[in-house]
C-alpha cells in the first residue's frame, strides 16, 4: 500500500499475534495515568466478571493499530476511529491478532486532488477465536502526485 | 461519580494539563510497535505539514482518557469510543488538557436493572486553546444495587 | 484539599489498591540503577527470608506517595519524608494500599504568611492487612492569598 | 563493603554523575501515578519558582539511592530513611551526584549476633555544587557468620 | 523472505529512519544497567570527543536489528553477529537508517536438510550519510519442508 | 580497572545474576521494534524448540554487557563485538550471569601513545550452568597520560 490509488476495496490484512502481558498493562497505566483498579488491583479484580485484571480499552486499541502498522506506509496518516467497541475483556496472557478489510474509499470532500480517505474495518481476535474488540480505522492518504484528473 | 444514578446530564469535567514529550512518543511506539516515520524520524518529519514529529493518534486518545481517569470510579468501565477525530497535529512540547461533558444517559437495552450507558463528549485542547482531538467516550456503569424498579 | 487553610488535623485518606508486579520492579531497577540481587535474581532470592525477590524500598515509598497523589493539589509540594521504615518485604503479586492521616499542621517558621507545613502519616498495607511500610510525608502548602493576618 | 564488621565509621563514597532527563520524570510519573502538574505540565510550571517542571522528590531519592547501589553488597538491605529533605528543585537537564558518609554503626537491639545497623548520610549535589537533597539511609547488614562473641 | 530457499545472494533491504532520543538512551541504561557516564552524564560528556552524551553501542546494534525486523519472517532466528563495529558516536537527535545485503548463504553443516545460514551485512548510517556502525547478522533459517534432496 | 596500563591478561570478572523477565522482553521489543512472534506470541512459541517465548539475542547481549558495566571505568569505551553467538534459548524466568576474562591486550595501531585495545571474552551462563551466549567485547581504553614512551 502506498498512495491512495493503490488501495483496493475488499483487500485484507492480518497481523502476527501478540500476547498481552502484565508488563503491557503496567506500561499503559504509566503512559496514561489510568490506574483504575480494574487494571491494576488483582484483589479488586476478583469481583469483576472473569475475576482477573483486564487490559485497558485504549491499550487494546493502541496495540491493534500498532500490530497493523508493521507495513509502514509513509503516505498515510490516522484521521480517526469510528465505533470502537470493547466486546470481551482481554486478560493477562491472552494472545491477540488483528485482521482488517478495506471497506471504504472516499475522495476528500475539499481537496480531492490531494487526499483520499480509506476506511479499514478492524477486528481483534483472541487465542480462542473470539472477537474482543472492533473498530473502523479512517486513514487520510496522499494521492499519487499528478494522478487526479 | 459512582453509580449510574449519580451521573448528571450536562455535568462537566476538566483535567490538569500534561506536556506531550518525546519520551511519551518513544514509549508509545514501543508499546504499540507503530514506528511510522511521522512519529519517529525527525528528518522525514520535515516534509510533513508542521515540519516536526507528531504524536500518534492512539497516544493522544490514550492520554486524554487517562487524564480524566484521575477520579477513579470503580463502578464504570469503558464500553467504547465513537467519532474519534484527530483534528490538529500534536507536536513534542505541546501541552494538552481534556475537558468533557456528559451528553447522554441511556438504559442498557437488555439489562436495564443492572447497567446504564453514559456518553461523555471529550475535547482535547492544546496550549493555544486549539482543539486537537475530540471523541465520545461510552461508559458502561453499574446501577446502584436495588435502585431500579 | 487546596490551600493550607483547608487542611484539617485528623482528616484521613485511603488510596485504591495496586498490585506490585515484576514489571514494576524491573522498571524501578532501570530507573534507579539499583540491580541488587535481592530484587533482580530469583535464584539468589531463595536464600532470603521469604525466599522470593523483594520490591525495592524506594519503589514502595514512590508507589505509596503516588497512590495518594490522585487528588492533585496544585498548592502543595513535597518537602520531605521522616522516619521511612520498610517493615515487611513486599513480593511480586502483593497488593498494597495506602492510608493516611494529617497529624500536624505548622506555620512556616520564616514565611508564615506564605506557607504552612502539613504532616501526613502514611501506612502501606498489603492484602493480608499487614503494615509493610510507614512514613511521614511533609508537605509545603501555599496559604490562601490574603488569608494570613 | 560486605559484612557489618567491614563497615567503617567515617568512610565515604561518591557516585558517578547522572543527568536528570525529561524521560526520567515521565517514567517516574508512570511508575507512581503521580502526575502533579509541577512535574508534567510545562505551562503550569511557569508559575513556579524557577519557572520549569521539577523532578519528583521520590525520583531524586530513588535515583540517589540507586547511584550508590553500583557497589552491590549482598549482605545489606535498606531498612529505612530518616530526615529526607528536598532542599532545591531539580530541573530537566540538571546533573546530580551522590556523596555519602557512614555516620553510625549500631548493633541490632534484638539480634546483635545476626545483624547491625549502618547509618549512611547522603547528600545529592547538582552541577553547580548546590545540595539539592539530603537524607540518612539506614541499612540492615548481616554480621559475618561466627563473628559475634 | 520466508524459507531459506527464498533468500537471494545480493538482495538488499533498507529500513525507515529513526531518530535516537534521550529517552532511548535512558531506557537502554535502565534495561541493561549500563549507566556509564559517557551515556548518562552531560557534564562528564563535555570531556569526550564530540562533547555530548553518546548512545550505547548495544543500543545502536539493537535498534539497527529491530529496524530491519519490520518484515517479520517466522522462519528465521538470529544465530549471532560477527565483526560488530561502532565507527562513529551517535548523539541524541541523530537519525539513523539501516541498510543491508545478503552476502552469504550456507548450508547448515550438521542438518543441511533442515536449516541454512544467511549472512546479512548491515550498515547503520546517520543523517549526514556517515556510517556509524556495521556488523554481520547471521540468521538460522528453516528450509522449506520437503525442499532438500 | 582504569587506564590501559592497569588491565591484566587473564584477569576475570563475574557479574551478579539477573532473572530475565517477561517485562524485559516487552521492553526490548518496544525499544527495538522487533516484535517477532518468537519473542511476543506465546501461542506461536509453542511450535518452537522449548515451546516458549525466547528472549531476543540483542537483549541477552545488551543485558550481559550491562551486567559487567557495574564497575564503571570512565577510561574505556566499547569498540565492538566479535563472534557473538546465541547458543541456547533464554526463556522467561531463566537467571543469567556473565563471566569474563581479558584474553588480549593490544596497542592501538595508529595512536599507540593514546589508546590500547582490551579483548574481553564473555560467557553468559544460565541457572543450570549452561552457556547460553558468548562473545568477545573489544574495548578502546585510554592510556595513562604520560605513560607511553
Amino acid at each position: 500500500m502506498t498512495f491512495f490509488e493503490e488501495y483496493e476495496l475488499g483487500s485484507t490484512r492480518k497481523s502476527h499475534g501478540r500476547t498481552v502481558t502484565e508488563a503491557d498493562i503496567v506500561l499503559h497505566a504509566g503512559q496514561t495515568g489510568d490506574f483504575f483498579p480494574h487494571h491494576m488491583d488483582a484483589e479488586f479484580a476478583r469481583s469483576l466478571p472473569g475475576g482477573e485484571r483486564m487490559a485497558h480499552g485504549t491499550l487494546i486499541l493502541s496495540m491493534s493499530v500498532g500490530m497493523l502498522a508493521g507495513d509502514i506506509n509513509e503516505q498515510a496518516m490516522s484521521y480517526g476511529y469510528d465505533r470502537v467497541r470493547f466486546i470481551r475483556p482481554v486478560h493477562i496472557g491472552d494472545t491477540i491478532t488483528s485482521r482488517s478489510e478495506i471497506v471504504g474509499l472516499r475522495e476528500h470532500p475539499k481537496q480531492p486532488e490531494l487526499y483520499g480517505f480509506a476506511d479499514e474495518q478492524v477486528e481483534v481476535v483472541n487465542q480462542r477465536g473470539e472477537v474482543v474488540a472492533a473498530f473502523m480505522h479512517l486513514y487520510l492518504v496522499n494521492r499519487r502526485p499528478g494522478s487526479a484528473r
Side-chain angles (χ1 to χ4, degrees), chain A:
Chain A
M1 285 185 187
T2 9
F3 290 101
F4 183 65
E5 285 71 16
E6 274 84 70
Y7 281 70
E8 278 181 58
L9 214 61
S11 69
T12 61
R13 297 197 291 160
K14 187 166 180 300
S15 76
H16 285 84
R18 185 165 166 197
T19 301
V20 177
T21 67
E22 192 181 56
D24 289 307
I25 295 177
V26 167
L27 288 166
H28 195 70
Q31 174 140 72
T32 62
D34 180 343
F35 288 79
F36 261 53
H38 306 69
H39 315 304
M40 305 304 283
D41 180 341
E43 300 293 317
F44 171 84
R46 291 188 190 168
S47 68
L48 298 177
E52 290 175 50
R53 286 167 289 170
M54 305 173 353
H56 303 70
T58 48
L59 173 59
I60 297 306
L61 174 64
S62 299
M63 284 177 78
S64 171
V65 170
M67 291 164 88
L68 291 168
D71 302 327
I72 291 181
N73 180 5
E74 296 186 355
Q75 307 304 330
M77 280 200 303
S78 286
Y79 178 79
Y81 302 99
D82 272 350
R83 283 193 60 80
V84 182
R85 291 295 180 273
F86 305 113
I87 296 165
R88 280 183 182 79
V90 177
H91 295 120
I92 294 167
D94 283 352
T95 297
I96 59 174
T97 307
S98 292
R99 60 190 185 203
S100 72
E101 180 179 348
I102 299 291
V103 297
L105 290 170
R106 296 171 290 126
E107 290 202 327
H108 191 284
K110 296 184 188 157
Q111 299 180 288
E113 70 290 358
L114 288 180
Y115 306 112
F117 285 109
D119 302 331
E120 187 176 33
Q121 177 63 35
V122 183
E123 283 187 335
V124 187
V125 180
N126 70 13
Q127 73 275 17
R128 290 181 295 275
E130 299 162 338
V131 176
V132 297
F135 58 94
M136 183 78 79
H137 191 161
L138 314 181
Y139 297 92
L140 179 67
V141 191
N142 295 326
R143 301 202 70 149
R144 182 176 294 282
S147 69
R149 275 129 303 148

